[in-house]
Amino acid sequence: MDKSNNMFVPVHKVSTLEDVRAIEAEPLEDRMPYQNIYEALAAAADAEPDFPALTYISDMDPATTPVTWSRRDFMNRVTQAANLFHDLGLASTDVVAFLLPTLCETHVVLWGAETAAVAAPINYLLTADTIADLLIASKAKILIALGPHPDFDIWDRAQEAMALAPAVQQLYQVCADGLEPADGRPDFMAEIASQPTDRLLANRHFDKSDIAALFHTGGTTGVPKLAQHDHQGQLFSAWGAVQMNAVSSENIMPGVFPLFHVAGALVNGLAVLCGGAHIIIPTATGARNPDFIPGFWKMVERFKMTSFSGVPTILTALTGRPVDADISSLTYARTGAAPMAAETAKAFEALTGLKIHESLGMTETCGLISMSPRFAERVPGTAGFTLPYARTMIREFHGEDDPLGEECAVGENGMVMYRGPNVFPGYTDPARNEGVLFDDGWLATGDLGNINANGILRLTGRAKDVIIRGGHNIDPGIIEVVVEKHPAVRSSVAVGQPDAYAGEVPVLFVVLKEGASANEDELADFVRANIDEPPARPRWVRIVPALPVTGVGKIYKPELRARASEIACTEALAGMVADGLQMDISAEATKASGMVVTVNVAEVPPENQADLAQRIQACLGNFSLTIKVEFA
């Protein structure tokens, strides 16, 4: 197949499972012929070299002149970066780590590193100690970090981390927003400027199974795991996103997700670049910029954006802002990385007229498993169809410590299993693959759900022990380890509590040692003071006489999650109780519907019940819960 000027393009309009199967009529290698990331990016650049690829705005003021790179500009810089890494003596298996917010230059570092070596994106919010641990675990030889910047302390932490990771040979800085570089360390973009743009200096023979990147997972806190990505996996996720999202050169979208996250790097990065669309990067601080939400609709109008993706926290914030601009160019909105509450989706649709499509992905699948296609009818609370050439299967799940059972029937709940070209080859520590990767190619996602007769995947809960706060994965174990250092604490369990803004937040149940004395505020202050990552700091601590256990003596977390859900709903409905309504609120973790909260209301006349039930549903609708209202 002639691959010249052949960038990723949608095969045809996808709206049903039959459309997905029709794509599979030809071999995948004919649909997606590339062996490596560089080749695919170059094809998009060759197709329309003068078309804009990346635009950066330094602030949200419409009067500020943006910086735009054409596809040619972008590809030239990627080539130069790869050539610098080659000149530094890096082999294809050596690692380049980076600590960068989302910038045009971050794309250059990421794709240049994957072309010449292996990229290791690191969450720039982590502490210096954790960054050093990741540098050591990845065996990084080069570290590239944001230079001095008033909105970040990345440069200071990068230097601290490098001092703790002696194998790192060189630290480069990337300067943003016209700021001057710090003394003593080379400016990365200045260093690549003398490299050739028309060819790669390395005579590298690529194989699609070559490792392209190491993405850390297991939470923004706790002991992270390094997931290996090969070129095939990343390309397949990007190509799949192009098919389901119908990405083309007509699309203009914001680049909000960080590039240390697979959603930002692959689904909203590589896919968009290979599909020929135009990415607008809204300042170095992105969605954390206090002017981002107030200025979002004006930015849509200014750049005539056609679509955007955001975590539920961003969409929730936008529903609280009136549309003060012409957003008629928008045709499509998507969310992922965390559960989307039904009421938020309804409010966003009422505000904008756009239905929010959802997707499912994970680091171990290069960011993508399934998507509700752009042109499909949106089914609330579902993650759409599995990517073409990939499959999902539901297997009986009986508990975290029990083996998976047989394949479930249509509509039955169990463990979501996935098999496809983008399943990662494993963690850098093979011992961590147990229970995740199976010999027959299937991967256990850790999510619970079902698939209906139309092939649509619905998630109902999680088997894996993780709290997702606004898209941040939090290992509850790190919270428990910290609080159990307190001399009064015997044992503890951290779980996620539903939250209308962040999806869920960590909370902590604690059992004190016999005879010990401590209060909840004291314990909360102790934990927060000893956890460096803000997302992992628990909202509250509850002292309980005992933790619930199973018949074999293991902590039964679903009961604690239910208790946390009851507390959240009780707080949300406090105003109605204050008005004199008598309510009993109970929660239960179910296989079929996830967490189900039942609100039982007493002494309400029949003629008032329908209106009250609607008010309660609306009040709790921003929680990702199944709500039932009953009347005594």
Side-chain angles (χ1 to χ4, degrees):
M1 178 178 182
D2 180 12
K3 294 180 283 191
S4 62
N5 294 343
N6 182 45
M7 64 185 185
F8 288 180
V9 294
V11 174
H12 59 71
K13 186 175 179 178
V14 176
S15 59
T16 67
L17 182 60
E18 288 70 29
D19 296 326
V20 176
R21 295 289 176 261
I23 294 175
E24 299 173 344
E26 293 186 20
L28 176 60
E29 54 267 26
D30 290 344
R31 300 289 196 197
M32 191 190 73
Y34 304 108
Q35 294 291 307
N36 61 80
I37 303 297
Y38 183 85
E39 192 177 27
L41 288 170
D46 290 344
E48 294 176 296
D50 295 322
F51 196 87
L54 296 164
T55 289
Y56 176 75
I57 52 176
S58 58
D59 60 54
M60 297 296 291
D61 184 349
T64 301
T65 302
V67 175
T68 296
W69 291 357
S70 69
R71 292 186 194 168
R72 180 191 294 108
D73 297 332
F74 164 67
M75 204 62 214
N76 285 348
R77 290 177 172 93
V78 171
T79 303
Q80 289 177 314
N83 287 335
L84 174 64
F85 296 137
H86 172 71
D87 273 358
L88 292 172
L90 296 185
S92 61
T93 55
D94 288 330
V95 175
V96 177
F98 64 83
L99 287 162
L100 295 167
T102 303
L103 305 164
C104 298
E105 292 85 352
T106 311
H107 282 281
V108 171
V109 172
L110 174 56
W111 310 121
E114 291 199 4
T115 298
V118 177
I122 297 178
N123 182 347
Y124 56 81
L125 300 175
L126 297 174
T127 64
D129 287 344
T130 302
I131 293 167
D133 289 342
L134 286 164
L135 292 173
I136 293 168
S138 65
K139 302 178 182 178
K141 291 188 175 181
I142 303 292
L143 175 60
I144 303 171
L146 182 71
H149 194 289
D151 294 326
F152 300 92
D153 64 349
I154 294 174
W155 185 241
D156 291 337
R157 283 182 288 115
Q159 294 178 95
E160 292 176 39
M162 185 175 175
L164 299 171
V168 178
Q169 299 170 0
Q170 181 62 279
L171 171 62
Y172 288 88
Q173 55 187 314
V174 168
C175 301
D177 298 329
L179 297 169
E180 292 296 317
D183 293 336
R185 296 291 183 181
D187 180 332
F188 181 77
M189 296 305 291
E191 290 291 307
I192 70 171
S194 60
Q195 294 290 335
T197 62
D198 60 341
R199 67 194 185 283
L200 291 175
L201 297 178
N203 186 24
R204 178 179 178 182
H205 173 72
F206 280 98
D207 187 274
K208 62 183 180 182
S209 62
D210 288 345
I211 300 303
L214 304 176
F215 276 81
H216 61 82
T217 184
T220 56
T221 57
V223 180
K225 299 171 287 189
L226 286 170
Q228 302 176 94
H229 284 184
D230 54 27
H231 281 260
Q232 169 187 260
Q234 289 196 347
L235 284 171
F236 179 77
S237 283
W239 177 85
V242 168
Q243 304 311 311
M244 305 298 261
N245 280 340
V247 177
S248 73
S249 298
E250 298 176 358
N251 298 139
I252 303 169
M253 59 194 70
V256 178
F257 287 98
L259 298 189
F260 61 74
H261 193 285
V262 287
L266 303 176
V267 182
N268 295 293
L270 184 62
V272 178
L273 294 168
C274 288
H278 182 189
I279 299 174
I280 312 295
I281 300 174
T283 80
T285 49
R288 296 173 181 272
N289 188 322
D291 296 325
F292 174 78
I293 295 298
F296 184 82
W297 302 124
K298 292 289 188 184
M299 182 178 66
V300 169
E301 178 181 33
R302 178 186 182 189
F303 292 101
K304 298 293 184 284
M305 291 183 180
T306 60
S307 63
F308 74 95
S309 296
V311 294
T313 51
I314 292 177
L315 299 177
T316 300
L318 287 173
T319 60
R321 304 286 308 187
V323 176
D324 56 356
D326 179 3
I327 63 168
S328 58
S329 60
L330 279 179
T331 60
Y332 181 54
R334 175 171 299 285
T335 191
M340 184 73 188
E343 286 301 314
T344 299
K346 289 179 184 177
F348 187 85
E349 181 177 346
L351 182 70
T352 65
L354 297 172
K355 293 183 177 357
I356 300 176
H357 291 255
E358 298 180 57
S359 56
L360 173 66
M362 55 192 297
T363 305
E364 291 82 353
T365 62
C366 297
L368 203 53
I369 290 172
S370 65
M371 271 191 166
S372 172
R374 176 178 181 176
F375 298 113
E377 180 181 352
R378 177 182 175 270
V379 181
T382 65
F385 304 114
T386 306
L387 298 180
Y389 303 99
R391 294 292 183 269
T392 48
M393 171 178 66
I394 310 299
R395 288 182 61 178
E396 295 174 350
F397 177 76
H398 303 291
E400 292 184 57
D401 298 321
D402 296 323
L404 296 172
E406 298 297 317
E407 182 175 358
C408 294
V410 171
E412 288 185 350
N413 283 279
M415 171 69 75
V416 179
M417 308 291 291
Y418 176 77
R419 185 168 65 186
N422 55 342
V423 169
F424 78 140
Y427 300 107
T428 54
D429 178 3
R432 294 181 177 270
N433 295 333
E434 185 176 355
V436 178
L437 285 175
F438 292 80
D439 292 339
D440 56 2
W442 288 96
L443 177 142
T445 66
D447 289 303
L448 304 177
N450 60 71
I451 301 174
N452 69 15
N454 296 320
I456 297 174
L457 174 65
R458 179 184 296 274
L459 300 184
T460 59
R462 287 194 302 273
K464 57 185 179 181
D465 200 14
V466 66
I467 300 164
I468 303 179
R469 180 176 188 164
H472 291 273
N473 287 0
I474 300 167
D475 176 4
I478 191 62
I479 306 173
E480 297 159 3
V481 166
V482 168
V483 76
E484 288 170 18
K485 292 178 180 178
H486 191 285
V489 174
R490 186 183 76 193
S491 57
S492 66
V493 171
V495 298
Q497 180 187 47
D499 182 76
Y501 176 71
E504 60 181 357
V505 295
V507 296
L508 188 60
F509 293 93
V510 167
V511 177
L512 300 182
K513 294 176 181 176
E514 188 173 353
S517 176
N519 63 52
E520 292 172 349
D521 289 341
E522 172 192 343
L523 293 176
D525 290 342
F526 177 83
V527 177
R528 291 167 188 154
N530 288 282
I531 291 180
D532 295 319
E533 311 312 324
R537 294 168 187 161
R539 170 167 291 176
W540 49 252
V541 175
R542 293 286 188 275
I543 296 174
V544 294
L547 298 171
V549 296
T550 65
V552 294
K554 286 186 64 65
I555 299 296
Y556 188 59
K557 286 198 172 186
E559 184 174 324
L560 294 174
R561 294 189 188 104
R563 201 177 303 179
S565 297
E566 291 170 357
I567 293 170
C569 292
T570 298
E571 292 173 348
L573 295 172
M576 291 187 183
V577 173
D579 289 340
L581 288 172
Q582 299 179 41
M583 297 183 185
D584 178 68
I585 300 171
S586 61
E588 180 185 9
T590 70
K591 288 185 176 180
S593 303
M595 190 65 68
V596 177
V597 174
T598 301
V599 182
N600 195 294
V601 190
E603 300 181 8
V604 176
E607 62 271 18
N608 297 336
Q609 290 178 3
D611 177 66
L612 180 59
Q614 188 174 11
R615 287 172 55 203
I616 292 172
Q617 289 280 0
C619 191
L620 302 181
N622 286 324
F623 296 146
S624 295
L625 303 167
T626 299
I627 307 298
K628 294 182 177 180
V629 181
E630 299 178 351
F631 294 92

